[in-house]
Amino acid sequence: MFSALLFSAGVYGVLARRNAVMVLMAIELMLNAVNVNLVAFASALQQMTGQVFALFVIAVAAAEVGIGLAIVILLFRTRESINVDEVNLLKW
């Protein structure tokens, strides 16, 4: 239940926020919700696989934050804004 609430807050943050840093933080919230869910199911089923997957998710989240913040810094340097609505580099 807590994991679903956390994930829902993250989805809302991704869809409602326009600041790129806030979108990254919402994505992290969703990844942490997945981690809570994985650890809870691993504990309930008495298996270690969920905790191992949670460690992988933490590693992926760390890489995602590093790349995401690098992209945000690059956007700010070139466009002087981190509003995701103003970023249309990949649109035709």
Side-chain angles (χ1 to χ4, degrees):
M1 187 67 179
F2 174 70
S3 174
L5 184 66
L6 204 61
F7 191 83
S8 300
V11 169
Y12 174 75
V14 167
L15 296 177
R17 297 291 180 172
R18 298 294 170 236
N19 188 340
V21 175
M22 296 301 287
V23 171
L24 283 175
M25 289 176 64
I27 291 171
E28 290 297 318
L29 203 60
M30 288 192 296
L31 289 174
N32 284 331
V34 170
N35 283 340
V36 168
N37 211 8
L38 285 172
V39 171
F41 276 109
S43 176
L45 298 175
Q46 300 293 328
Q47 294 181 351
M48 291 292 291
T49 54
Q51 294 170 0
V52 172
F53 277 122
L55 287 175
F56 283 126
V57 170
I58 289 170
V60 169
E64 176 259 336
V65 165
I67 292 172
L69 285 177
I71 290 171
V72 168
I73 290 171
L74 182 66
L75 283 175
F76 185 74
R77 285 183 180 170
T78 57
R79 300 191 178 242
E80 308 252 341
S81 174
I82 54 173
N83 188 353
V84 292
D85 287 337
E86 296 175 4
V87 178
N88 56 2
L89 295 173
L90 297 179
K91 290 183 181 176
W92 287 90

